[in-house]
Amino acid sequence: MAPARRVRLGVQIAPQHAHYSKIRDTVAEIEDLGVDIVFNWDHFFPLTGDPDGLHLESWTMLAAWAEQTNRIEFGALVNCNSYRNADLQADMARTIDNISARDGGSGRFLFGTGAGWFERDYAEYGYEFGTAGSRLNALSDAMPRIRARWGALNPPPTRDIPVLIGGGGEKKTLRIVAEHADIWHSFSSAEVLEHKLGVLGDWCARVDRDPAEIEVSVELRARSQAEADELHALGATLFTIGISGPHYDLAPVRDWLAWRDAKNALL
């Protein structure tokens, strides 16, 4: 029997309402605290608060994190597939992965991706918004190209870059997860998660994939520890809490780190 997965804690630093110096300092604090993964998001405008407030771009920020950090994994939760050519995404991911490697070891970049949804990004930057279905089809088409490009690049990625795919659509998204993801990110309650895991299991059977290979990731947004316990009992092992500028309160991060450590002490 494979060993149980350890519980991991991710922190999503929303790149909004703060100058980069504050974001940089927050990343350093999070790494020092022992968080497992730090995420940003791939948007061009704030999602909460003043819609025209301070905001910074995802991928250039991730390259800076690759150089700044030494232990923590990092990525976007999630990249928007619509905003960049698939081969370019692969090349950027490979480069950031190499930047993050230390002393001949492996890189720490995590390729989180999704189909995109925030219409303002599309409208103001000149991308075709299409439909949810067309954006998911584009994501499905992009994933083989991304993996093929990783295999062709020189130098290659330092490791098999983990792929995280977010969303819970049962007809398309979970099929793409079954085909391509190492991590599935869900926003579900325990009741919904149990159902979605059944659907994901069905898709894995169709594509001849062991669902145990896919780590289950969930949000901690507004959840109690009792609710997190329920999600963990269903198999979730990556838990992410979001924090936003201008202040980036780390008190809840410390609380969830204690919960993570208590869970892992039982393994």
Side-chain angles (χ1 to χ4, degrees):
M1 176 181 290
R5 292 184 189 269
R6 295 181 64 81
V7 173
R8 301 197 291 166
L9 182 69
V11 174
Q12 184 182 47
I13 298 176
Q16 61 180 12
H17 309 308
H19 291 286
Y20 187 68
S21 59
K22 180 61 177 177
I23 294 173
R24 181 196 302 117
D25 291 346
T26 302
V27 171
E29 290 183 74
I30 284 172
E31 184 169 40
D32 287 345
L33 285 173
V35 168
D36 298 287
I37 305 173
V38 59
F39 296 105
N40 62 15
W41 65 35
D42 188 19
H43 295 288
F44 305 130
F45 303 96
L47 298 185
T48 61
D50 179 1
D52 295 313
L54 297 170
H55 197 278
L56 292 163
E57 194 275 328
S58 172
W59 279 86
T60 43
M61 183 181 295
L62 293 173
W65 291 2
E67 188 62 44
Q68 172 188 343
T69 59
N70 291 294
R71 175 198 58 80
I72 198 167
E73 288 190 295
F74 62 96
L77 192 63
V78 287
N79 166 68
C80 177
N81 176 68
S82 305
Y83 300 162
R84 302 162 194 90
N85 170 281
D87 293 85
L88 175 60
Q89 293 177 56
D91 203 343
M92 292 192 299
R94 176 280 309 250
T95 299
I96 292 174
D97 176 71
N98 273 264
I99 293 169
S100 70
R102 298 289 180 269
D103 300 323
S106 295
R108 294 168 286 113
F109 180 73
L110 189 158
F111 184 66
T113 194
W117 62 273
F118 189 43
E119 190 168 4
R120 184 185 179 190
D121 285 347
Y122 288 81
E124 295 216 23
Y125 277 60
Y127 299 114
E128 181 181 351
F129 189 56
T131 66
S134 67
R135 295 192 300 275
L136 281 165
N137 290 341
L139 176 63
S140 181
D141 291 343
M143 288 310 305
R145 286 178 57 189
I146 288 167
R147 291 196 180 279
R149 181 58 57 186
W150 281 340
L153 290 166
N154 185 16
T158 67
R159 63 172 180 167
D160 290 333
I161 296 176
V163 172
L164 177 154
I165 294 176
E170 298 180 11
K171 294 182 179 180
K172 291 188 176 182
T173 303
L174 291 179
R175 173 182 58 79
I176 298 170
V177 170
E179 291 174 337
H180 299 292
D182 301 290
I183 305 168
W184 169 50
H185 185 72
S186 168
F187 303 89
S188 304
S189 65
E191 181 180 4
V192 174
L193 181 65
E194 186 171 19
H195 168 72
K196 298 286 186 183
L197 286 170
V199 176
L200 179 58
D202 291 341
W203 277 116
C204 285
R206 295 189 206 185
V207 301
D208 195 24
R209 179 94 186 272
D210 181 355
E213 296 175 359
I214 302 171
E215 184 173 15
V216 178
S217 168
V218 294
E219 296 275 332
L220 287 170
R221 175 173 42 197
R223 297 198 193 282
S224 66
Q225 290 193 359
E227 290 172 310
D229 288 341
E230 292 179 341
L231 293 166
H232 180 250
L234 289 170
T237 55
L238 175 54
F239 294 80
T240 296
I241 183 169
I243 57 176
S244 179
H247 302 300
Y248 296 115
D249 180 13
L250 297 185
V253 175
R254 293 183 175 91
D255 291 341
W256 284 110
L257 280 169
W259 177 84
R260 177 203 69 180
D261 292 345
K263 289 293 184 189
N264 287 336
L266 299 175
L267 295 178

